[in-house]
Amino acid sequence: MSPKTPSLSQSLKKKKDFTGVFGDVYGTMMLLPKEVELQNKPTPSFDFRLLLPDFSRAFKDIMKTREAAEFLSGALAGAMTKAVLAPLETIRTRMVVGVGSKNISGSFLEVIEAQGWTGLWAGNAINMLRIVPTQAIELGTFECVKRTMTSAQEKWKQNDGPKLQIGPVSLNLPLSWISPVAVAGAAAGVVSTLACHPLEVLKDRLTVSPEAYPNLSVAVSTIYKDGGIGAFYAGLSPTLIGMLPYSTCYYFMYETIKKSYCESKNKKSLSRPELLVIGAFSGLTASTISFPLEVARKRLMVGALHGKCPPHMVAALSEVIKEQGIMGLYRGWGASCLKVMPSSGITWMFYEAWKDILLVQRLPL
């Protein structure tokens, strides 16, 4: 090494104030003293927080609304009613589709002998899953559409109603004759049917053929394998056709009788037993009027199980009349009334009770 060439230690001393980093040709990195001092200084900390929306407050605000209280009241009322009346639903379905005995007591004994007491609750799990959203959607839709139609009619009365303009001709459309309750009842039936029809199909299959469909998962996979998604909507058209007169009559009768009775007795509200009776009578009337359509609907929905499914509702009705006569259209009507009357009465009783708890205490009526 030449004497004029400074040593490495001398170079470091001369460059003691240099705060950079350098290296030799081999890429060896060396840190200088001041850099070491910088490394020993505490580094600033960063606090990263992910702020989520306050869903709990939004949920509480929604639950305070009238619509949420009505939907929840309908769901609770339906669940409590079906838990009590599941055996009658099983017997009614068997008699309507022509499975087993032709009388109520015989059907009860057949189910108990074949499946035990638990057989009376066959399909009840899917029935509970079906009735909770169905009743919530149906009763919630009814209340919402009824309020909307009533408000619209009041505006039409003030503004001479809606008008139809055809060129120079202007036509007034008198819609005051339309019943908001009837429209709301029809809408409730249609909306709930469209939303929950697959659950109705599953419930019928589990009830009528427990051997072929022993549980819910097997029923879902089998139905999907046989017909795809469309199989879950089998019989949708006749269901809608049958639902319209039933739902319209059911809600119209209940609201009309309730209003008339309150006016005659000079009451603002009814007792639970009174609601029970009015609801039961409404269900009886609606069921009697629409029962032939219910027979045809059930036959279409489960006809594939017996290898003979009518092509449409008219064919199903004709087939029933040909095989059993006119009275065949009302086969199972007694069992249906035995189920529909307490079901309707108990549902309205529970529904009004839950509305008092969830709605009356929160919102002024």
Side-chain angles (χ1 to χ4, degrees), residues 18 24 40 126 134 222 245 258 273 281-282 299:
F18 182 74
D24 58 12
N40 291 331
I126 186 62
T134 298
T222 303
K258 178 183 174 183
F281 184 75
S282 302
R299 178 162 290 221

Side-chain angles (χ1 to χ4, degrees), residues 157-316:
K157 290 179 181 178
Q158 297 174 359
N159 302 325
D160 297 329
K163 296 182 179 180
L164 178 63
Q165 189 74 30
I166 304 177
V169 180
S170 180
L171 299 176
N172 291 326
L173 300 178
L175 300 178
S176 58
W177 57 272
I178 297 178
S179 170
V181 174
V183 174
V190 171
V191 172
S192 64
T193 298
L194 291 176
C196 304
H197 187 75
L199 297 176
E200 178 73 16
V201 173
L202 286 170
K203 189 265 296 181
D204 286 340
R205 298 290 179 92
L206 289 169
T207 301
V208 176
S209 296
E211 299 84 7
Y213 306 97
N215 54 60
L216 179 59
S217 60
V218 172
V220 172
S221 60
T222 303
I223 294 173
Y224 180 78
K225 183 179 179 181
D226 293 341
I229 296 296
F232 290 97
Y233 286 89
L236 178 61
S237 296
T239 299
L240 290 174
I241 295 173
M243 177 58 69
L244 274 173
Y246 175 82
S247 183
T248 304
C249 179
Y250 176 59
Y251 286 99
F252 181 80
M253 289 294 295
Y254 177 77
E255 288 289 328
T256 302
I257 296 174
K258 178 183 174 183
K259 182 179 179 181
S260 299
Y261 187 79
C262 286
E263 291 177 352
S264 64
K265 298 294 183 180
N266 197 21
K267 291 183 175 182
K268 292 184 178 180
S269 61
L270 300 180
S271 65
R272 302 304 176 215
E274 289 171 332
L275 292 171
L276 179 68
V277 173
I278 293 175
F281 184 75
S282 302
L284 171 65
T285 305
S287 178
T288 302
I289 292 174
S290 62
F291 195 77
L293 298 177
E294 174 73 3
V295 172
R297 181 181 75 89
K298 290 289 185 180
R299 178 162 290 221
L300 284 171
M301 290 183 67
V302 300
L305 298 176
H306 305 284
K308 50 176 184 178
C309 183
H312 47 75
M313 178 168 282
V314 176

Side-chain angles (χ1 to χ4, degrees), residues 51-71:
L51 299 179
L52 297 175
D54 190 357
F55 291 109
S56 61
R57 178 177 297 179
F59 179 76
K60 291 178 180 179
D61 292 340
I62 292 175
M63 291 306 298
K64 291 179 181 179
T65 63
R66 176 187 292 271
E67 290 76 11
E70 290 167 348
F71 271 72

